[in-house]
Amino acid sequence: MTHSILHIDTSIKPEGSMSKSLTSDIVARLRAAHPESSVTYRDLAAHPLPETDAAWFAAISVPAEDRSPEQTDIAALSDRLIAEVRNADTIVIGLPVYNFNVPSQLKTWIDLLAQPGVTFRYTEDGPEGLIQGTRAIIAYASNGTRMGSEIDFASAYMRHILGFFGITDVQFVASDHFAIDAESSVKAANDGIAGLAA
């Protein structure tokens, strides 16, 4: 059976990116376990997505079948990104920590995924995520912001927002103290990749 992988990189570094190195290694591990895998790749820094605005909000607030041609065009990218997530068995996301939080490029991707009634809905019992059965593996990379520490606002946000969409199987691989001890930081990440269930 084909295993579908969505590979998302977000680092602004064209070379020498730890998060890109980690996502590449994670995808390689998944493909080794699933030789028939298909991979959809997006580099959100090299090919930035447009930020959401009032026109986008108006377009996605209308049911798809009721949108005007202009609204359909405006919502098309958001719909395509959602389809990529829905079609993925596993999403591999590079998370370089910038100023204690997620890169703006990654936040824009998340904003474009947030369509009420499509990726989430509100019920009497609270919000319900509408993307089911998808696994996420996040490559967390930081020079010194330890994952899970009081100054780490990135990993908790990613776990929360993915869960909000219904993606609750979320795993992290972390190289989170590279500027302090590069060797042990890389080793910790490699050990984390080796321990992933493929």
Side-chain angles (χ1 to χ4, degrees):
M1 180 181 293
T2 300
H3 188 88
S4 179
I5 301 167
L6 177 58
H7 180 179
I8 303 290
D9 276 329
T10 64
S11 173
I12 60 175
K13 295 180 180 178
E15 297 179 359
S17 164
M18 175 57 67
S19 65
K20 284 184 179 179
S21 176
L22 294 178
T23 60
S24 178
D25 289 347
I26 292 167
V27 169
R29 176 172 172 77
L30 294 173
R31 296 193 72 177
H34 305 278
E36 301 303 317
S37 295
S38 64
V39 179
T40 299
Y41 179 68
R42 282 191 178 272
D43 185 333
L44 301 183
H47 303 284
L49 299 170
E51 294 184 0
T52 56
D53 57 16
W56 173 86
F57 183 74
I60 63 102
S61 297
V62 176
E65 63 272 17
D66 296 331
R67 291 171 184 162
S68 68
E70 181 182 10
Q71 288 173 327
T72 298
D73 287 343
I74 291 171
L77 174 59
S78 182
D79 292 340
R80 188 161 64 250
L81 295 174
I82 291 169
E84 289 176 356
V85 171
R86 285 194 181 280
N87 292 334
D89 296 298
T90 304
I91 309 171
V92 179
I93 303 172
L95 174 56
V97 177
Y98 296 153
N99 302 315
F100 314 108
N101 215 326
V102 303
S104 59
Q105 294 85 356
L106 180 55
K107 179 61 166 57
T108 297
W109 178 74
I110 289 167
D111 288 344
L112 288 166
L113 294 178
Q115 281 201 37
V118 179
T119 53
F120 69 94
R121 65 184 175 189
Y122 291 107
T123 73
E124 291 181 356
D125 298 322
E128 177 186 3
L130 300 178
I131 300 175
Q132 304 293 328
T134 300
R135 174 192 187 192
I137 304 173
I138 300 177
Y140 180 105
S142 171
N143 279 332
T145 301
R146 297 276 190 162
M147 193 177 77
S149 70
E150 63 180 8
I151 60 172
D152 164 29
F153 302 100
S155 66
Y157 171 73
M158 288 302 298
R159 188 181 294 279
H160 175 80
I161 193 64
L162 290 174
F164 183 75
F165 295 149
I167 302 170
T168 56
D169 183 359
V170 181
Q171 298 167 286
F172 286 85
V173 169
S175 172
D176 59 3
H177 54 288
F178 190 81
I180 300 166
D181 186 340
E183 183 177 351
S184 71
S185 185
V186 172
K187 182 180 186 303
N190 289 337
D191 288 347
I193 293 172
L196 289 171

